[in-house]
Amino acid sequence: MLKKRIIPCLDIRDGRTVKGVKFKEIRDAGDPLALARQYAEQGADELVFLDITATIERRKSLYDLVERIAREIHIPFTVGGGIQSLTDVDAIIQSGADKVSINSAAIKQPDLITEIASRYGSQCVVLAIDTRKVHANWEVVSHGGRTPTGMNTLYWAQQAEKLGAGEILLTSMDHDGTKNGFAIQLINELCSMVNIPLIASGGAGSIDHFKQLFQETPASAALAASIFHFGEVPIPQLKSNLKQCQIPIR
């Protein structure tokens, strides 16, 4: 069995790490460089960097900050935000990222997934899906949760896999920042319909939530932010606890 991964996420706005609840009520969470260094030292398996306002502000990602973080850490590093073209991907990879996360641009131009996979391999392409429940269906939203797309989340995940995505980063807006646990049912539904790894995001509030995720779903990784940023759940303690529960963890 593949070992599960623990992934801290740095949501970046104006060069600072921030965190909100359901993509709103944004508050400062610290210096991204210091946090990245801390997480690498604590044993995080990977790090995700998301420039959360780059697409809204129609600008490129913060390449200088990406480069500084890449120099400081030696774990897989995924960067997203503001990616609109293969040229943007080239710049991010050259800045030191191992993988890129695409979201709104992939919805607008799905062939971008294939272009990135063709140049760098599917393992480089992380499709980020932000979703929320509308009536009985999970709907994809774009532009930092601001724009409903009318597209079914499970359908989009399947299409992305066919196009060459190597991994899916699934964030439930309904669970984001609530600390009430992951969207277990949705995660199971999506995992049953794709054959690529899934990173679950949104809702982590305790060690028990990570246990539930890995014991009740096939999710490959768990991503969290505020509980790590504010020291509520230290990564070494989390990984030790999961190992004691016989969960295969790196």
Side-chain angles (χ1 to χ4, degrees):
M1 180 183 291
L2 291 176
K3 293 185 177 181
K4 307 298 186 179
R5 292 168 287 152
I6 301 299
I7 306 176
C9 181
L10 304 178
D11 291 318
I12 305 298
R13 185 176 73 175
D14 300 327
R16 295 285 294 178
T17 306
V18 296
K19 190 66 189 90
V21 176
K22 298 183 178 181
F23 291 25
K24 298 178 181 178
E25 302 174 25
I26 304 297
R27 59 174 173 153
D28 188 87
D31 173 59
L33 189 60
L35 286 171
R37 190 184 300 117
Q38 172 185 313
Y39 294 143
E41 292 172 352
Q42 287 181 347
D45 298 302
E46 299 186 17
L47 182 70
V48 169
F49 171 112
L50 299 176
D51 188 343
I52 62 173
T53 57
T55 297
I56 305 300
E57 297 169 1
R58 297 184 179 181
R59 60 172 172 76
K60 305 303 180 186
S61 191
L62 303 170
Y63 300 136
D64 290 345
L65 181 55
V66 169
E67 188 172 346
R68 281 189 285 140
I69 291 175
R71 285 200 302 264
E72 291 287 332
I73 65 175
H74 302 285
I75 56 176
F77 183 31
T78 300
V79 174
I83 297 172
Q84 301 293 329
S85 67
L86 201 54
T87 300
D88 296 334
V89 174
D90 292 340
I92 288 174
I93 296 297
Q94 289 167 11
S95 296
D98 300 289
K99 297 186 276 189
V100 293
S101 171
I102 54 174
N103 187 334
S104 301
I107 295 169
K108 184 178 180 181
Q109 43 180 336
D111 287 346
L112 180 59
I113 297 173
T114 306
E115 291 176 10
I116 301 170
S118 296
R119 178 168 295 189
Y120 292 104
S122 291
Q123 81 289 338
C124 182
V125 188
V126 180
L127 179 76
I129 301 178
D130 296 332
T131 182
R132 64 184 175 191
K133 201 164 192 177
V134 179
H135 304 301
N137 297 310
W138 286 95
E139 179 184 5
V140 177
V141 289
S142 65
H143 296 82
R146 293 169 174 82
T147 307
T149 67
M151 185 162 51
N152 179 271
T153 296
L154 303 178
Y155 167 82
W156 177 222
Q158 288 180 305
Q159 294 306 304
E161 180 180 15
K162 292 177 183 176
L163 289 164
E167 196 165 27
I168 291 173
L169 169 54
L170 178 71
T171 302
S172 165
M173 285 184 63
D174 297 342
H175 294 72
D176 178 73
T178 64
K179 300 182 183 178
N180 291 327
F182 294 94
I184 299 296
Q185 183 177 347
L186 171 63
I187 292 165
N188 274 321
E189 288 180 15
L190 196 147
C191 285
S192 72
M193 300 185 76
V194 299
N195 297 304
I196 54 178
L198 181 136
I199 303 169
S201 169
S206 70
I207 290 176
D208 284 342
H209 292 151
F210 290 87
K211 290 180 189 176
Q212 182 188 30
L213 174 71
F214 292 136
Q215 290 174 339
E216 297 183 14
T217 82
S220 299
L223 180 145
S226 60
I227 62 169
F228 296 147
H229 299 338
F230 301 115
E232 297 166 38
V233 176
I235 291 175
Q237 178 185 344
L238 169 61
K239 298 184 81 170
S240 175
N241 202 298
L242 293 176
K243 287 178 182 178
Q244 290 174 12
C245 295
Q246 307 303 311
I247 294 171
I249 202 80
R250 291 187 182 180

